[in-house]
Amino acid sequence: MKLSALTAYLESLAPLVYQEDYDNAGLIVGNPDQEISQALLSLDCTEAVVDEAIATGCQVIISHHPIVFRGLKKFNGKTYVERVVEKAIRKGIALYAIHTNLDNVMQGVNTRIADTLGLKNCRILAPKHNLLKKLITFVPQSHADEVRNALFAAGAGNIGNYSEVSFNAEGVGTFKGNEFTDPHVGEQGKRHRENEICIQTIYPANLESKIIMALILAHPYEEVAYDLVPLTNQHQQVGAGMIGELEVPTNQESFLFHVKDKMRTHVIRHTAFTHKPIKKVAVCGGAGGFLLKHAIAAGADIFITADYKYHEFFDAEGKIVIADIGHFESEQFTVQLLYEIIRKKFPIFAVRLTEVNTNPVKYFI
């Protein structure tokens, strides 16, 4: 299939607009029209991973971390980033990254961590704002169901675990068409009154073009009246980190043994125990220190993340246990997550998990 078919599917699950401002997710190297038959999945894109793709006949490498974060001004092979990009271009291998956009969706990286640890009743720890809009439109009563169904099919009307959400009010619309019109109801040059339904529904801003197209195609009027209203509401299904609960509270030492086993980490750097049972657990794959205040406010007993600096550990202030399990360790199951996502949609497409351990951190035990 074409590379664009694969990337379009991944971006339907983790839209690029959900990535953080500093990020560089998406197609980094390659032509969307390139034919592909096999993909290699990896947490990082290193020279060894590119060599593995060449050896196994993979035309695309899908990594969690983008190989390019900042602009490259020279390609002279002095850094591993330059060498990776050069080699990929020479060998015709596409490089695609699905990073913080996959972190920030409900069924992404943090859900996989929560599931691995056995957490229940999970929700986004810090939902994002300004990602939602409201559509208000006016439809003749005879076509209200048809328009609503079209909007729902295009992705409107989803709030949390509820779908097909809308508000509807009856009213009377008036209009008068000039000599250039061909009105669905009424006559040219005469004011017409029509019993209409005012339909209001919510939608993700990134689906706006699709929503408006669905509205126009389903609506019977020659000119479709609608309002688009930006919302500052939280998007409960999109955001950073996750918080969940253990089915049975456990003591802190036992829980860290559990974390070490399930997350396959060699060492856990943590703050002093608070000597309270662990019930609520906050998690964030990768560098999640910016979420500490959210974890405390949500009543978490422990915050599991990575990349904590020495002085940042003091911020726990005895209110919570911070547990740094390592960046690679916190995100290592992302590759398996991607494998399952792709195989579910494209069951006969060849997908390989890298055999290269890309973790740059080694432990002297």
Side-chain angles (χ1 to χ4, degrees), residues 84-145:
V84 164
V85 173
E86 282 183 295
K87 183 175 288 189
I89 293 173
R90 285 201 310 270
K91 298 296 183 178
I93 296 174
L95 304 180
Y96 184 85
I98 181 167
H99 192 210
T100 53
N101 51 323
L102 187 61
D103 291 334
N104 286 334
V105 293
M106 189 66 187
Q107 298 304 319
V109 174
N110 294 307
T111 293
R112 182 49 59 103
I113 297 172
D115 289 345
T116 301
L117 295 176
L119 304 184
K120 308 297 181 183
N121 304 319
C122 295
R123 58 180 175 82
I124 297 289
L125 181 60
K128 285 186 173 293
H129 296 261
N130 303 310
L131 293 177
L132 297 170
K133 286 189 172 183
K134 179 186 287 187
L135 168 69
I136 305 171
T137 190
F138 310 89
V139 189
Q141 291 181 350
S142 59
H143 287 73
D145 283 338

Side-chain angles (χ1 to χ4, degrees), residues 106-356:
M106 189 66 187
Q107 298 304 319
V109 174
N110 294 307
T111 293
R112 182 49 59 103
I113 297 172
D115 289 345
T116 301
L117 295 176
L119 304 184
K120 308 297 181 183
N121 304 319
C122 295
R123 58 180 175 82
I124 297 289
L125 181 60
K128 285 186 173 293
H129 296 261
N130 303 310
L131 293 177
L132 297 170
K133 286 189 172 183
K134 179 186 287 187
L135 168 69
I136 305 171
T137 190
F138 310 89
V139 189
Q141 291 181 350
S142 59
H143 287 73
D145 283 338
E146 182 179 345
V147 170
R148 268 193 300 268
N149 291 338
L151 293 174
F152 296 154
N158 296 305
I159 301 178
N161 294 321
Y162 291 85
S163 61
E164 301 189 3
V165 177
S166 69
F167 178 78
N168 304 269
E170 295 184 8
V172 177
T174 67
F175 49 85
K176 181 173 72 173
N178 62 26
E179 67 272 22
F180 301 108
T181 62
D182 182 18
H184 174 71
V185 290
E187 301 179 33
Q188 288 182 352
K190 292 184 179 181
R191 181 189 299 164
H192 178 78
R193 293 168 59 87
E194 181 71 20
N195 292 327
E196 295 180 335
I197 302 294
C198 174
I199 301 174
Q200 302 184 40
T201 189
I202 199 169
Y203 65 93
N206 61 292
L207 295 181
E208 184 162 289
S209 296
K210 184 178 179 182
I211 299 291
I212 299 306
M213 181 60 67
L215 170 65
I216 292 172
L217 290 176
H219 204 292
Y221 285 177
E222 192 173 27
E223 296 288 348
V224 180
Y226 61 89
D227 300 328
L228 305 177
V229 183
L231 303 177
T232 59
N233 303 48
Q234 292 181 336
H235 193 322
Q236 297 294 334
Q237 303 296 308
V238 181
M242 184 158 289
I243 186 165
E245 299 177 348
L246 295 173
E247 284 195 55
V248 179
T250 185
N251 68 66
Q252 295 173 348
E253 184 176 2
S254 296
F255 183 67
L256 285 186
F257 274 118
H258 173 71
V259 172
K260 188 175 182 181
D261 174 54
K262 293 295 183 180
M263 299 304 296
R264 302 176 190 172
T265 182
H266 294 282
V267 64
I268 298 176
R269 301 161 63 230
H270 65 89
T271 54
F273 289 159
T274 60
H275 305 294
K276 296 186 297 183
I278 299 292
K279 176 63 176 177
K280 280 191 175 182
V281 180
V283 303
C284 180
F290 67 100
L291 291 173
L292 179 62
K293 291 182 179 179
H294 294 274
I296 293 173
D301 302 303
I302 189 168
F303 179 35
I304 300 168
T305 187
D307 294 352
Y308 249 82
K309 296 180 180 179
Y310 175 85
H311 289 96
E312 293 174 337
F313 281 98
F314 287 109
D315 295 335
E317 296 192 47
K319 300 175 183 176
I320 194 172
V321 175
I322 297 171
D324 184 331
I325 65 173
H327 197 120
F328 177 90
E329 289 76 9
S330 71
E331 296 180 332
Q332 61 186 302
F333 302 113
T334 303
V335 178
Q336 182 64 36
L337 171 64
L338 287 171
Y339 179 85
E340 294 168 7
I341 287 172
I342 295 172
R343 288 303 300 270
K344 183 177 181 179
K345 176 67 174 179
F346 307 104
I348 62 173
F349 179 72
V351 187
R352 286 179 174 270
L353 302 179
T354 183
E355 295 181 3
V356 178

